[in-house]
């Protein structure tokens, strides 16, 4: 476990304000090697470079896992909060990274119901978020959960919609959505984040800037 880290309480940084912020891409390479089958180097780098540029800032991540530490380290001195629906992965993150803030959430959707759900936005707002998440402004939001690999998985329509609502707070928010090659992730991002706000893409990771 690396020592550079943020928690729910923003920690003071070492005064290195004169030093240029240099992305540590080695950390991404190392992660991709030991965590295959998830985001690629280029996809992680798209998020990482924006995060390092805005750090210390407020980052919200839908989905915990082996990459959680990358975001905590990149956002050193800031606040990084995770939302996770799978107990197994919430426990994994809490055990691997003492002090990490992971809120347990639910996604009562089925991927197959997207054509209906896309017409009823009120059903897509996550109502089980703690107030410390729902009423705060977020600088960077990464949507990489829940799983959407099968018709009976939840799909990411709730997390994408909720990210779009959170990004309506004053201030600009960089929103990243992974797995946009899939129908639900791609279409819900277009519908709720807006094609006109798409400012970048690497692989299936899209970058939207709102506000
Ligand atoms: C695409 S995965 C997110 C990937 C994850 N953030 C990582 O560290 O690689 C979406 C969901 O799958 C679960 N998950 C996390 N890590 C996973 C992994 N290495 N393999 C399979 N599922 C994972 C979690 O429930 C997570 O919210």
């Amino acid at each position: 476990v690396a020592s550079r880290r943020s928690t729910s309480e923003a920690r003071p940084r070492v005064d290195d304000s004169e030093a240029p912020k240099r992305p540590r891409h080695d950390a991404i390479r190392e992660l991709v090697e030991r965590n295959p089958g998830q985001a690629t180097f280029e996809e992680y780098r798209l998020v990482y470079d924006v995060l390092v540029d805005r750090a210390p800032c407020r980052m919200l991540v839908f989905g915990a896992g082996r990459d959680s530490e990358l975001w905590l380290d990149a956002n050193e001195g800031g606040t990084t909060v995770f939302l996770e629906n799978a107990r197994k992965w919430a426990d994994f993150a809490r055990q691997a990274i003492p002090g990490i803030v992971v809120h347990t959430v639910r996604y009562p959707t089925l991927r197959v119901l997207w054509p209906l759900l896309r017409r009823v936005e009120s059903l897509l707002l996550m109502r089980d978020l703690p107030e410390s998440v729902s009423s705060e402004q977020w600088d960077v939001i990464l949507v990489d959960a829940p799983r959407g690999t099968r018709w009976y998985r939840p799909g990411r329509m709730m997390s994408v919609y909720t990210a779009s609502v959170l990004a309506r707070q004053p201030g600009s928010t960089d929103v990243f959505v992974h797995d946009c090659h899939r129908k639900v992730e791609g279409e819900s991002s277009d519908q709720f984040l807006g094609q006109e706000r798409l400012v970048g893409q690497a692989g299936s990771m899209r970058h939207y800037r709102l506000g």
Side-chain angles (χ1 to χ4, degrees):
V1 174
S3 59
R4 304 181 335 120
R5 145 139 355 121
S6 58
T7 66
S8 59
E9 303 275 319
R11 289 188 190 170
R13 329 177 69 206
V14 178
D15 182 13
D16 61 353
S17 48
E18 298 303 312
K21 288 182 183 176
R22 202 174 304 134
R24 292 166 59 246
H25 291 152
D26 286 353
I28 305 177
R29 281 193 194 90
E30 192 269 326
L31 170 67
V32 170
E33 260 177 42
R34 75 179 152 81
N35 191 31
Q38 303 298 318
T40 64
F41 174 83
E42 289 76 17
E43 290 170 339
Y44 275 128
R45 187 175 59 182
L46 188 73
V47 184
Y48 187 92
D49 286 357
V50 170
L51 179 59
V52 166
D53 206 42
R54 293 194 72 161
C57 69
R58 294 178 51 77
M59 182 189 202
L60 181 65
V61 185
F62 291 79
R66 295 196 172 89
D67 61 4
S68 301
E69 188 149 20
L70 183 75
W71 311 128
L72 288 161
D73 286 349
N75 192 23
E76 178 190 7
T79 297
T80 309
V81 172
F82 298 83
L83 305 176
E84 177 55 57
N85 62 312
R87 178 185 293 255
K88 169 186 162 179
W89 287 102
D91 288 348
F92 169 86
R94 290 183 185 122
Q95 279 169 15
I97 310 171
I100 190 173
V101 178
V102 185
H103 297 295
T104 308
V105 294
R106 289 177 62 245
Y107 298 104
T109 49
L110 292 178
R111 193 185 82 173
V112 70
L113 295 179
W114 166 239
L116 299 173
L117 289 171
R118 68 183 303 170
R119 299 191 210 141
V120 195
E121 292 186 7
S122 60
L123 293 178
L124 296 179
L125 186 64
M126 293 168 66
R127 298 182 188 276
D128 57 353
L129 299 182
E131 204 171 318
S132 60
V133 171
S134 60
S135 63
E136 292 295 327
Q137 195 271 340
W138 297 97
D139 302 305
V140 178
I141 299 178
L142 169 61
V143 179
D144 195 16
R147 297 179 71 177
T149 43
R150 301 267 195 278
W151 69 266
Y152 52 83
R153 299 279 188 204
R156 294 188 184 157
M157 53 285 244
M158 281 188 93
S159 42
V160 171
Y161 179 72
T162 302
S164 77
V165 171
L166 293 174
R168 289 179 202 160
Q169 296 270 4
S172 76
T173 307
D174 290 287
V175 181
F176 297 86
V177 184
H178 192 219
D179 295 314
C180 283
H181 61 295
R182 299 195 299 233
K183 183 179 170 69
V184 170
E185 285 71 13
E187 290 184 358
S188 61
S189 297
D190 282 345
Q191 181 171 336
F192 303 132
L193 299 169
Q195 283 176 313
E196 68 283 7
R197 300 193 188 91
L198 182 69
V199 293
Q201 176 152 0
S204 72
M205 183 77 80
R206 288 196 197 157
H207 176 196
Y208 297 84
R209 184 163 295 134
L210 285 77

